[in-house]
Amino acid sequence: MKDKRILFVSSEVVPYLPETELSSTAFNSAKNAHSKGVQTRIFMPRYGVINERRHQLHEVIRLSGMNLVVNDLDMPLIIKVASIPKERMQVYFIDNEEYFKRKAVFTDEDDELFSDNDERAIFFAKGVVETVKKLNWAPDIIHVHGWMASLLPLYLREFYKEEPLFKESKIVTSLYNSGFEGGLNSDLAVKVKFDLSENDKISTIETPTHTNILKSAIENSDAIIHGSEIIPEELSSFIEEKGMPVLEYESENLKESYLNFYADLLSAN
Protein backbone atom coordinates (compact mmCIF):
# COMPACT_ATOMS: atom_id res chain seq x y z
CA MET A 1 0.00 0.00 0.00
CA LYS A 2 3.02 2.31 0.11
CA ASP A 3 2.42 5.46 -1.98
CA LYS A 4 -1.23 4.52 -2.56
CA ARG A 5 -3.72 7.29 -1.89
CA ILE A 6 -6.52 6.99 0.66
CA LEU A 7 -9.17 9.66 1.19
CA PHE A 8 -10.69 9.42 4.68
CA VAL A 9 -14.06 11.18 4.99
CA SER A 10 -15.63 11.23 8.44
CA SER A 11 -18.46 12.87 10.38
CA GLU A 12 -16.11 13.07 13.37
CA VAL A 13 -12.36 12.98 13.93
CA VAL A 14 -10.29 13.38 17.09
CA PRO A 15 -8.74 15.66 18.30
CA TYR A 16 -11.23 18.12 16.78
CA LEU A 17 -14.28 16.49 18.39
CA PRO A 18 -14.63 14.44 21.60
CA GLU A 19 -13.31 10.90 21.58
CA THR A 20 -15.85 8.30 20.49
CA GLU A 21 -15.45 4.93 18.82
CA LEU A 22 -16.16 6.57 15.47
CA SER A 23 -13.95 9.67 15.86
CA SER A 24 -11.05 7.60 17.24
CA THR A 25 -11.26 4.88 14.60
CA ALA A 26 -11.45 7.42 11.77
CA PHE A 27 -8.31 9.09 13.11
CA ASN A 28 -6.43 5.86 13.81
CA SER A 29 -7.22 4.30 10.43
CA ALA A 30 -5.73 7.38 8.73
CA LYS A 31 -2.77 7.55 11.14
CA ASN A 32 -1.94 3.87 10.66
CA ALA A 33 -2.08 4.13 6.88
CA HIS A 34 0.06 7.28 6.95
CA SER A 35 2.68 5.55 9.11
CA LYS A 36 3.04 2.87 6.42
CA GLY A 37 3.82 5.33 3.65
CA VAL A 38 0.26 5.72 2.34
CA GLN A 39 -0.64 9.20 1.08
CA THR A 40 -3.62 10.34 3.12
CA ARG A 41 -6.12 13.17 3.19
CA ILE A 42 -8.79 13.54 5.88
CA PHE A 43 -12.03 15.48 5.39
CA MET A 44 -14.62 16.42 8.01
CA PRO A 45 -17.21 19.19 8.53
CA ARG A 46 -16.02 22.37 10.26
CA TYR A 47 -18.57 22.37 13.09
CA GLY A 48 -18.85 25.58 15.11
CA VAL A 49 -17.73 23.78 18.26
CA ILE A 50 -14.23 23.31 16.80
CA ASN A 51 -11.80 25.83 18.26
CA GLU A 52 -10.05 27.24 15.21
CA ARG A 53 -7.36 29.06 17.17
CA ARG A 54 -6.41 26.10 19.35
CA HIS A 55 -6.27 23.71 16.39
CA GLN A 56 -4.71 26.31 14.07
CA LEU A 57 -7.24 26.08 11.26
CA HIS A 58 -6.75 28.45 8.38
CA GLU A 59 -8.71 29.08 5.20
CA VAL A 60 -7.25 27.86 1.91
CA ILE A 61 -8.15 30.72 -0.42
CA ARG A 62 -7.26 28.85 -3.61
CA LEU A 63 -9.73 26.08 -2.72
CA SER A 64 -12.52 28.29 -1.36
CA GLY A 65 -14.79 30.57 -3.33
CA MET A 66 -17.05 28.27 -5.32
CA ASN A 67 -20.77 27.84 -4.72
CA LEU A 68 -22.44 24.46 -4.32
CA VAL A 69 -26.07 24.01 -5.29
CA VAL A 70 -28.18 22.43 -2.54
CA ASN A 71 -31.94 22.23 -3.08
CA ASP A 72 -31.68 24.82 -5.89
CA LEU A 73 -29.82 27.31 -3.66
CA ASP A 74 -26.23 28.50 -4.14
CA MET A 75 -24.27 27.90 -0.94
CA PRO A 76 -20.70 29.25 -0.63
CA LEU A 77 -18.00 26.64 0.06
CA ILE A 78 -15.18 27.55 2.42
CA ILE A 79 -12.23 25.19 2.84
CA LYS A 80 -10.04 25.25 5.93
CA VAL A 81 -7.07 23.09 6.74
CA ALA A 82 -5.07 22.05 9.81
CA SER A 83 -2.27 19.64 10.59
CA ILE A 84 -2.62 17.01 13.30
CA PRO A 85 0.26 17.62 15.73
CA LYS A 86 3.12 15.11 15.53
CA GLU A 87 1.48 13.16 12.70
CA ARG A 88 2.19 15.46 9.73
CA MET A 89 -1.27 14.67 8.41
CA GLN A 90 -3.49 17.32 6.86
CA VAL A 91 -7.17 17.59 7.72
CA TYR A 92 -9.48 19.50 5.41
CA PHE A 93 -12.63 21.09 6.81
CA ILE A 94 -15.76 21.69 4.73
CA ASP A 95 -17.31 24.92 5.95
CA ASN A 96 -20.32 27.13 5.25
CA GLU A 97 -21.70 29.75 7.64
CA GLU A 98 -25.32 28.74 7.13
CA TYR A 99 -24.70 25.05 7.83
CA PHE A 100 -21.74 24.83 10.19
CA LYS A 101 -21.25 28.07 12.13
CA ARG A 102 -23.64 27.07 14.93
CA LYS A 103 -21.99 25.96 18.18
CA ALA A 104 -23.27 22.41 17.98
CA VAL A 105 -22.69 19.25 15.94
CA PHE A 106 -25.91 17.38 15.06
CA THR A 107 -28.54 18.49 17.60
CA ASP A 108 -29.88 21.65 19.24
CA GLU A 109 -30.06 22.54 22.94
CA ASP A 110 -33.13 20.31 23.31
CA ASP A 111 -31.23 17.38 21.79
CA GLU A 112 -33.37 17.54 18.66
CA LEU A 113 -31.78 16.89 15.28
CA PHE A 114 -31.26 20.06 13.25
CA SER A 115 -33.93 20.29 10.55
CA ASP A 116 -31.28 21.01 7.90
CA ASN A 117 -29.01 18.03 8.69
CA ASP A 118 -30.09 16.60 5.34
CA GLU A 119 -28.80 19.65 3.48
CA ARG A 120 -25.65 19.69 5.60
CA ALA A 121 -24.94 16.10 4.53
CA ILE A 122 -25.53 16.92 0.84
CA PHE A 123 -23.29 19.98 1.10
CA PHE A 124 -20.57 17.98 2.84
CA ALA A 125 -20.61 15.22 0.20
CA LYS A 126 -20.44 17.65 -2.72
CA GLY A 127 -17.90 19.83 -0.93
CA VAL A 128 -15.52 16.91 -0.43
CA VAL A 129 -15.69 15.90 -4.09
CA GLU A 130 -15.29 19.42 -5.45
CA THR A 131 -12.31 20.07 -3.18
CA VAL A 132 -10.57 16.83 -4.15
CA LYS A 133 -11.16 17.77 -7.79
CA LYS A 134 -9.46 21.13 -7.19
CA LEU A 135 -6.56 19.33 -5.51
CA ASN A 136 -6.41 17.03 -8.57
CA TRP A 137 -5.76 14.18 -6.15
CA ALA A 138 -7.08 10.82 -7.41
CA PRO A 139 -7.66 8.46 -4.45
CA ASP A 140 -7.22 4.69 -4.74
CA ILE A 141 -9.47 4.16 -1.71
CA ILE A 142 -12.22 6.40 -0.31
CA HIS A 143 -13.01 5.38 3.27
CA VAL A 144 -16.28 6.75 4.70
CA HIS A 145 -17.05 6.99 8.44
CA GLY A 146 -20.30 8.21 10.03
CA TRP A 147 -23.78 9.10 8.80
CA MET A 148 -22.99 12.74 7.97
CA ALA A 149 -20.58 11.37 5.34
CA SER A 150 -22.88 8.59 4.15
CA LEU A 151 -24.33 10.37 1.12
CA LEU A 152 -20.85 10.53 -0.40
CA PRO A 153 -20.93 7.02 -1.97
CA LEU A 154 -24.28 7.78 -3.66
CA TYR A 155 -23.00 11.08 -5.06
CA LEU A 156 -19.74 9.52 -6.24
CA ARG A 157 -21.53 6.65 -7.99
CA GLU A 158 -24.23 8.74 -9.61
CA PHE A 159 -23.80 12.52 -9.66
CA TYR A 160 -20.03 12.29 -10.24
CA LYS A 161 -19.96 9.00 -12.15
CA GLU A 162 -18.38 10.62 -15.21
CA GLU A 163 -15.63 12.32 -13.19
CA PRO A 164 -12.34 10.69 -14.34
CA LEU A 165 -10.55 11.46 -11.06
CA PHE A 166 -12.64 8.81 -9.27
CA LYS A 167 -12.96 6.23 -12.04
CA GLU A 168 -10.61 3.75 -10.34
CA SER A 169 -11.47 4.64 -6.73
CA LYS A 170 -12.79 1.92 -4.43
CA ILE A 171 -15.30 3.03 -1.79
CA VAL A 172 -15.16 1.49 1.70
CA THR A 173 -17.80 2.33 4.31
CA SER A 174 -17.31 1.70 8.02
CA LEU A 175 -20.42 0.96 10.09
CA TYR A 176 -20.77 1.83 13.76
CA ASN A 177 -23.31 1.01 16.44
CA SER A 178 -24.21 4.67 16.92
CA GLY A 179 -26.60 7.00 15.20
CA PHE A 180 -29.80 8.92 15.85
CA GLU A 181 -33.43 8.22 16.64
CA GLY A 182 -36.16 9.19 14.20
CA GLY A 183 -35.19 10.58 10.83
CA LEU A 184 -33.74 13.50 8.93
CA ASN A 185 -35.90 16.00 7.08
CA SER A 186 -38.50 14.05 5.09
CA ASP A 187 -37.59 16.07 1.99
CA LEU A 188 -34.08 14.59 1.79
CA ALA A 189 -34.90 12.38 -1.19
CA VAL A 190 -36.55 15.31 -2.99
CA LYS A 191 -33.42 17.42 -2.50
CA VAL A 192 -31.16 14.61 -3.69
CA LYS A 193 -33.45 14.14 -6.72
CA PHE A 194 -32.56 17.69 -7.71
CA ASP A 195 -29.11 16.26 -8.51
CA LEU A 196 -30.07 12.67 -9.41
CA SER A 197 -33.43 13.13 -11.09
CA GLU A 198 -33.72 9.72 -12.77
CA ASN A 199 -32.11 7.40 -10.26
CA ASP A 200 -33.90 4.52 -8.57
CA LYS A 201 -31.25 4.37 -5.84
CA ILE A 202 -32.89 7.39 -4.24
CA SER A 203 -35.73 5.15 -3.08
CA THR A 204 -33.51 3.86 -0.25
CA ILE A 205 -33.50 7.29 1.41
CA GLU A 206 -37.13 8.23 0.83
CA THR A 207 -37.61 7.43 4.52
CA PRO A 208 -34.39 9.02 5.82
CA THR A 209 -33.74 7.03 8.98
CA HIS A 210 -30.21 6.38 10.19
CA THR A 211 -30.45 2.78 8.95
CA ASN A 212 -31.67 3.76 5.48
CA ILE A 213 -28.96 6.40 5.03
CA LEU A 214 -26.37 3.73 5.86
CA LYS A 215 -28.07 1.31 3.46
CA SER A 216 -27.61 3.89 0.72
CA ALA A 217 -23.91 4.09 1.59
CA ILE A 218 -23.64 0.29 1.57
CA GLU A 219 -25.28 -0.22 -1.83
CA ASN A 220 -22.96 2.37 -3.38
CA SER A 221 -19.77 1.03 -1.78
CA ASP A 222 -17.33 -1.68 -2.85
CA ALA A 223 -16.66 -3.07 0.64
CA ILE A 224 -17.74 -2.71 4.26
CA ILE A 225 -15.85 -2.59 7.55
CA HIS A 226 -17.50 -3.26 10.92
CA GLY A 227 -16.26 -0.37 13.04
CA SER A 228 -18.19 -1.60 16.07
CA GLU A 229 -18.39 -5.06 17.59
CA ILE A 230 -22.17 -5.06 17.27
CA ILE A 231 -23.86 -3.91 14.05
CA PRO A 232 -27.67 -3.66 13.71
CA GLU A 233 -29.06 -6.92 12.35
CA GLU A 234 -30.95 -5.13 9.58
CA LEU A 235 -27.67 -3.76 8.20
CA SER A 236 -25.87 -7.10 8.56
CA SER A 237 -28.62 -8.82 6.57
CA PHE A 238 -28.55 -6.09 3.93
CA ILE A 239 -24.79 -6.52 3.46
CA GLU A 240 -25.17 -10.29 3.23
CA GLU A 241 -27.78 -9.90 0.48
CA LYS A 242 -25.32 -7.76 -1.49
CA GLY A 243 -22.54 -10.34 -1.18
CA MET A 244 -19.96 -7.66 -0.52
CA PRO A 245 -16.43 -8.01 0.91
CA VAL A 246 -16.64 -7.41 4.66
CA LEU A 247 -13.97 -6.90 7.29
CA GLU A 248 -15.36 -7.98 10.64
CA TYR A 249 -14.73 -5.94 13.78
CA GLU A 250 -11.25 -6.15 15.24
CA SER A 251 -10.10 -4.47 18.43
CA GLU A 252 -6.48 -5.54 17.89
CA ASN A 253 -4.20 -5.41 14.82
CA LEU A 254 -6.35 -2.66 13.31
CA LYS A 255 -3.36 -1.32 11.40
CA GLU A 256 -2.52 -4.54 9.55
CA SER A 257 -6.09 -5.72 9.04
CA TYR A 258 -7.24 -2.44 7.48
CA LEU A 259 -4.21 -2.15 5.20
CA ASN A 260 -4.53 -5.78 4.09
CA PHE A 261 -8.23 -5.24 3.42
CA TYR A 262 -7.49 -2.17 1.28
CA ALA A 263 -4.78 -4.06 -0.61
CA ASP A 264 -7.06 -7.06 -1.28
CA LEU A 265 -9.75 -4.73 -2.57
CA LEU A 266 -7.37 -3.01 -4.99
CA SER A 267 -5.87 -6.30 -6.19
CA ALA A 268 -9.34 -7.66 -6.97
CA ASN A 269 -9.54 -5.43 -10.06
Side-chain angles (χ1 to χ4, degrees), residues 21-22 143-146 150 173-178 214-215 217-218 224-232 235-236 239 249:
E21 186 172 51
L22 194 162
H143 192 164
V144 176
H145 302 258
S150 290
T173 292
S174 278
L175 302 177
Y176 298 88
N177 192 23
S178 60
L214 292 182
K215 281 183 176 181
I218 291 166
I224 300 299
I225 293 178
H226 287 193
S228 297
E229 187 170 6
I230 299 173
I231 298 297
L235 292 180
S236 296
I239 296 166
Y249 174 78

Side-chain angles (χ1 to χ4, degrees), residues 51 61 67 81 137 154 167 196 198 200 209 221-222 238:
N51 188 314
I61 302 299
N67 285 347
V81 70
W137 195 79
L154 173 61
K167 279 290 187 183
L196 315 176
E198 297 180 11
D200 58 359
T209 61
S221 296
D222 296 291
F238 190 73

Side-chain angles (χ1 to χ4, degrees), residues 113-124:
L113 288 168
F114 289 121
S115 61
D116 64 350
N117 273 341
D118 59 333
E119 294 185 11
R120 297 168 91 206
I122 293 170
F123 184 87
F124 182 51

Side-chain angles (χ1 to χ4, degrees), residues 92-108:
Y92 291 83
F93 296 84
I94 301 297
D95 197 5
N96 170 274
E97 289 209 355
E98 180 73 23
Y99 290 139
F100 295 112
K101 188 175 182 180
R102 67 198 69 163
K103 298 291 184 182
V105 180
F106 304 128
T107 57
D108 62 19

Side-chain angles (χ1 to χ4, degrees), residues 73-167:
L73 294 174
D74 283 349
M75 306 300 290
L77 172 64
I78 300 167
I79 303 298
K80 295 175 180 174
V81 70
S83 293
I84 295 180
K86 301 179 183 177
E87 305 299 339
R88 295 186 178 180
M89 290 195 308
Q90 284 196 312
V91 180
Y92 291 83
F93 296 84
I94 301 297
D95 197 5
N96 170 274
E97 289 209 355
E98 180 73 23
Y99 290 139
F100 295 112
K101 188 175 182 180
R102 67 198 69 163
K103 298 291 184 182
V105 180
F106 304 128
T107 57
D108 62 19
E109 59 214 19
D110 298 320
D111 207 28
E112 297 289 333
L113 288 168
F114 289 121
S115 61
D116 64 350
N117 273 341
D118 59 333
E119 294 185 11
R120 297 168 91 206
I122 293 170
F123 184 87
F124 182 51
K126 296 175 83 169
V128 168
V129 177
E130 294 297 342
T131 305
V132 174
K133 284 169 59 180
K134 274 202 169 185
L135 291 168
N136 196 30
W137 195 79
D140 297 290
I141 299 281
I142 300 169
H143 192 164
V144 176
H145 302 258
W147 68 263
M148 181 65 84
S150 290
L151 292 181
L152 180 59
L154 173 61
Y155 270 83
L156 283 168
R157 289 291 186 244
E158 302 302 329
F159 189 64
Y160 292 101
K161 62 184 176 183
E162 301 301 329
E163 174 54 53
L165 204 66
F166 305 103
K167 279 290 187 183

